[in-house]
């Protein structure tokens, strides 16, 4: 179903994204009693309605009144969907002001959760060692139709936190966009609502048919979540209201030190991943200029302030760039840096993109690097590249469509393009 028409005379006021007390203010301003706010929250976050008309627990008069006042549900719209041969889908999400970001749906995840001690990790590890577990099947749509994902046991959704990014990592396509604007909390969590609706996933008592659904979230799309900290944290609470626990969320930061310190104090927080990407400051400064502001040892000190749970590991992401950071001496340096920490490492083979002058690492170098970290006692995993043929893999989330986009379904022609 299409989203609410955007009122033209008044600025549209999205309801999705408002916290319970803010919804209460909205209904009280309209002279309604408080329980209307509870019904609104239920409709927005549990039933995942897309239009005011769908909120049938409210009277028709109240829905019309809300519309007259300029209120809309305000979910991002899937303006374009691209499907990879591996089942990954990449979406161009259009916000109410026309700005777009990308969101990725990965049935069966990408292997990134393994080894961090969480429930999501145990499931993922089991699926790697025991492919005999019967897969869930989404029977809600035929293969090839929107909403069809084939077989999957769980899924990971990769969400964006900003339109573009200001951090300027030299190997990342998103950096090429520059920074356009922050997303609101509603726009961050709204990406998940839009994807779950498309995939017909039911969480708890909410809408959809696909159940039981183990949905993991990674804040690893476009943008730096810790440079949009308040909206990011608010979105975590909205996502919990949608039935996704914070233990199934991972936020990745390039190393924004004040953000890490603030995160350490949160009573409710997702898992954390730090994009280390280099074994010393010299290399890191070259590929991630933000290192000049906060160097590796300052970042590691900041991580130590986080009161990790007993089984909790901090994830270090390490993008392997051929000849730059993927040699034996780099692996030795990583081992020294992480000695004594409850750390796990996700190695990510660099995904090439137009206009970025790095090289993919040699497969033999990846294998040696991986082995050296394991032998040094660090749980290490090499991330499965997902959706490379549709530019949905890490660091490839760069908007490909400008201006008003239509809803078009693009099925990847198959084959890996890069
Ligand atoms: N801004 C945050 C989260 C988004 S980037 C961060 O940087 O952590 C998510 C991950 O993708 C990061 O670990 C980043 O280092 C990695 N990445 C960026 N560009 C990449 C590329 N071209 N190939 C592989 N990984 C990449
Ligand atoms: Fe921004 Fe992360 Fe890309 Fe760096 S790797 S430019 S922080 S999105």
């Amino acid at each position: 179903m299409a989203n609410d028409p955007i009122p033209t005379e008044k600025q549209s006021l999205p309801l999705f994204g408002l916290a319970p007390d803010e919804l209460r203010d909205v209904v009280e301003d309209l002279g309604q009693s408080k329980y209307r706010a509870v019904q609104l929250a239920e409709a927005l976050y549990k039933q995942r309605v897309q239009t005011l008309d769908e909120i049938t627990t409210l009277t028709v008069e109240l829905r019309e009144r809300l519309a007259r006042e300029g209120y809309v549900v305000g979910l991002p719209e899937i303006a374009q969907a691209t499907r990879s041969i591996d089942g990954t889908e990449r979406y161009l999400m259009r916000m109410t002001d026309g700005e777009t970001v990308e969101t990725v749906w990965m049935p069966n995840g990408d292997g990134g959760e393994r080894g961090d001690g969480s429930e999501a990790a145990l499931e993922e590890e089991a699926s790697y060692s025991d492919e005999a577990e019967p897969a869930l099947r989404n029977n809600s749509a035929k293969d090839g139709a929107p909403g069809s994902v084939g077989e999957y046991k769980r899924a990971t959704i990769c969400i964006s936190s900003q339109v573009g990014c200001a951090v300027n990592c030299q190997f990342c396509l998103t950096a090429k966009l520059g920074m356009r604007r922050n997303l609101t909390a509603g726009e961050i969590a709204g990406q998940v609502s839009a994807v779950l609706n498309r995939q017909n996933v039911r969480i708890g008592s909410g809408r959809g048919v696909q159940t039981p659904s183990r949905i993991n979230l990674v804040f690893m799309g476009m943008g730096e979540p810790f440079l949009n900290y308040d909206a990011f944290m608010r979105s975590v609470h909205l996502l919990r209201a949608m039935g996704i626990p914070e233990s199934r969320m991972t936020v990745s930061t390039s190393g924004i030190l004040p953000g890490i310190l603030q995160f350490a104090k949160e009573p409710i927080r997702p898992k954390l991943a730090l994009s280390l990407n280099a074994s010393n400051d010299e290399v890191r400064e070259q590929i991630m200029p933000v290192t000049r502001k906060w160097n590796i040892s300052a970042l590691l000190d900041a991580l130590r302030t986080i009161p990790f749970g007993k089984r909790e590991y901090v994830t270090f992401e390490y993008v392997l760039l051929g000849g730059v950071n993927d040699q034996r001496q780099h692996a030795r340096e990583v081992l020294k840096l992480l000695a004594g920490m409850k750390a796990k490492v996700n190695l990510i083979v660099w995904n090439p993109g137009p206009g970025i002058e790095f090289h993919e690492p040699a497969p033999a170098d990846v294998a040696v690097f991986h082995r050296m970290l394991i032998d040094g006692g660090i749980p290490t995993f090499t991330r499965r590249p997902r959706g490379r043929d549709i530019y949905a893999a890490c660091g490839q989330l760069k908007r490909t469509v400008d201006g008003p986009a239509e809803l078009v379904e693009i099925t990847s022609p198959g084959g890996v393009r890069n």
Side-chain angles (χ1 to χ4, degrees):
M1 188 179 291
N3 288 359
D4 287 313
I6 311 283
T8 43
E9 282 155 33
K10 275 188 188 165
Q11 209 202 340
S12 74
L13 304 165
L15 289 168
F16 190 97
L18 298 184
D21 55 326
E22 294 166 326
L23 289 173
R24 208 165 49 231
D25 291 346
V26 168
V27 298
E28 284 183 349
D29 283 353
L30 300 181
Q32 303 281 325
S33 53
K34 282 185 196 141
Y35 79 93
R36 293 295 184 195
V38 177
Q39 289 174 320
L40 261 178
E42 183 76 17
L44 293 167
Y45 304 123
K46 286 283 191 288
Q47 292 163 29
R48 301 195 313 256
V49 295
Q50 284 152 286
T51 63
L52 291 177
D53 279 347
E54 285 180 74
I55 314 180
T56 49
T57 46
L58 302 184
T59 60
V60 177
E61 294 73 44
L62 180 51
R63 280 181 259 156
E64 284 173 357
R65 178 83 195 281
L66 284 166
R68 276 201 308 279
E69 295 292 326
Y71 287 106
V72 291
V73 171
L75 284 179
E77 229 174 324
I78 297 181
Q80 195 182 90
T82 315
R83 181 196 305 268
S84 161
I85 45 171
D86 66 16
T88 301
E89 289 191 356
R90 179 178 68 144
Y91 309 110
L92 187 75
M93 293 270 179
R94 188 169 45 207
M95 307 297 146
T96 47
D97 68 348
E99 283 286 5
T100 52
V101 295
E102 292 187 348
T103 308
V104 183
W105 163 261
M106 294 175 281
N108 289 326
D110 69 350
E113 311 270 0
R114 290 171 292 169
D116 64 18
S118 67
E119 199 185 326
L122 297 176
E123 281 165 18
E124 191 151 270
E125 286 153 25
S127 81
Y128 273 72
S129 58
D130 176 21
E131 289 296 350
E133 183 191 337
L136 299 175
R137 183 153 178 87
N138 180 355
N139 290 320
S140 60
K142 289 199 197 91
D143 281 349
S148 159
V149 293
E151 292 190 10
Y152 66 96
K153 299 165 190 166
R154 59 186 190 290
T156 301
I157 303 174
C158 176
I159 51 185
S160 294
S161 54
Q162 298 181 308
V163 186
C165 186
V167 180
N168 200 21
C169 303
Q170 301 296 296
F171 49 82
C172 173
L173 265 183
T174 303
K176 300 260 172 203
L177 281 178
M179 169 62 178
R180 292 176 64 96
R181 76 163 168 88
N182 278 328
L183 293 183
T184 64
E187 289 169 334
I188 299 172
Q191 296 165 59
V192 175
S193 192
V195 174
L196 294 178
N197 284 345
R198 175 183 166 89
Q199 298 295 346
N200 216 353
V201 172
R202 180 161 72 195
I203 294 179
S205 58
R207 83 198 259 162
V209 297
Q210 173 66 32
T211 182
S213 302
R214 289 168 287 176
I215 299 295
N216 299 315
L217 301 180
V218 293
F219 293 81
M220 296 188 187
M222 285 165 55
E224 167 50 57
F226 281 7
L227 287 180
N228 185 17
Y229 190 89
D230 292 342
F232 150 68
M233 257 335 278
R234 276 181 58 124
S235 78
V236 167
H237 293 285
L238 296 172
L239 291 161
R240 287 177 81 238
M242 287 168 60
I244 303 173
E246 68 280 10
S247 59
R248 288 195 175 272
M249 306 177 197
T250 302
V251 61
S252 175
T253 179
S254 56
I256 305 301
L257 190 130
I260 298 173
L261 295 177
Q262 203 173 343
F263 186 73
K265 298 198 189 100
E266 297 290 348
I268 287 167
R269 55 180 168 78
K271 297 181 288 179
L272 181 64
L274 178 78
S275 297
L276 181 62
N277 295 346
S279 57
N280 60 56
D281 285 333
E282 208 186 328
V283 175
R284 201 169 189 273
E285 276 178 22
Q286 281 169 26
I287 61 174
M288 299 178 74
V290 67
T291 311
R292 279 185 224 125
K293 203 156 186 185
W294 299 296
N295 66 19
I296 295 176
S297 73
L299 293 176
L300 296 181
D301 285 345
L303 289 182
R304 292 190 185 96
T305 67
I306 301 175
F308 289 113
K310 266 203 189 101
R311 283 172 46 201
E312 205 177 349
Y313 282 71
V314 58
T315 299
F316 291 89
E317 301 190 81
Y318 197 99
V319 177
L320 290 162
L321 301 160
V324 173
N325 64 358
D326 63 343
Q327 299 301 301
R328 287 165 183 270
Q329 77 266 22
H330 302 124
R332 279 192 287 273
E333 283 176 339
V334 169
L335 283 171
K336 268 200 204 123
L337 284 177
L338 304 187
M341 289 189 82
K342 267 183 86 182
K344 67 161 264 206
V345 171
N346 271 345
L347 296 176
I348 309 172
V349 175
W350 177 68
N351 291 306
I356 306 194
E357 305 290 321
F358 286 98
H359 299 285
E360 289 180 73
D365 288 342
V366 176
V368 169
F369 203 98
H370 189 140
R371 173 50 49 199
M372 284 178 71
L373 294 193
I374 295 271
D375 289 347
I378 303 278
T380 303
F381 302 87
T382 299
R383 287 259 290 273
R384 204 163 22 148
R386 297 297 307 263
R388 287 183 82 175
D389 55 330
I390 56 164
Y391 282 98
C394 290
Q396 296 194 312
L397 296 182
K398 179 175 172 357
R399 277 188 315 144
T400 45
V401 174
D402 275 313
E406 312 154 46
L407 179 58
V408 284
E409 300 283 336
I410 299 178
T411 303
S412 157
V416 173
R417 196 161 58 195
N418 44 66

